[in-house]
Amino acid sequence: MVSRSSGKILNVASVYSFSLFLSNPCTARAKRSCCLFSSSLQSELKGTGVSVTVFCPGVTQTEFRSRAGIPEKRKDSGMTAEAAAHIAYTETLRGKHIVVPGFLNRIFVFLAQLLPVGSMASVVRFINRRRGQSL
């Protein structure tokens, strides 16, 4: 891509990469690492014609939870996988670096960056209880 002076890289993380994920802190840190790696790569590739997008969706309607045996009150919460994929694809083509789709997800990320870790943990616990998770 660098030799062609053209290319697009899309990495997928999560809104949880911006906060404490109570039920699986390893997942949150892995997602955070994806964001940091993407930012480092974007910086390294600046001026080469290659862009790096990191997509950070919130709740997405997939079969992941049911297959993992995780109960959920509302299966219709969040965006569809198709909508998420469309946004990721479109914003990658535009060359946007960090993509957080959805107003509530952007508020979540804003709060995660603003609030202390302990307060954000309470917010995550509240959200998860509303979704039917006992965390």
Side-chain angles (χ1 to χ4, degrees), residues 51-72:
S51 67
V52 180
T53 299
V54 61
F55 184 60
C56 301
V59 176
T60 305
Q61 298 170 18
T62 67
E63 295 178 9
F64 174 81
R65 293 192 164 317
S66 62
R67 288 185 180 197
I70 301 170
E72 192 162 17

Side-chain angles (χ1 to χ4, degrees), residues 99-119:
V99 178
V100 179
F103 180 71
L104 292 178
N105 292 331
R106 287 191 290 279
I107 288 175
F108 178 88
V109 169
F110 174 77
L111 290 175
Q113 294 174 328
L114 183 70
L115 295 175
V117 172
S119 297

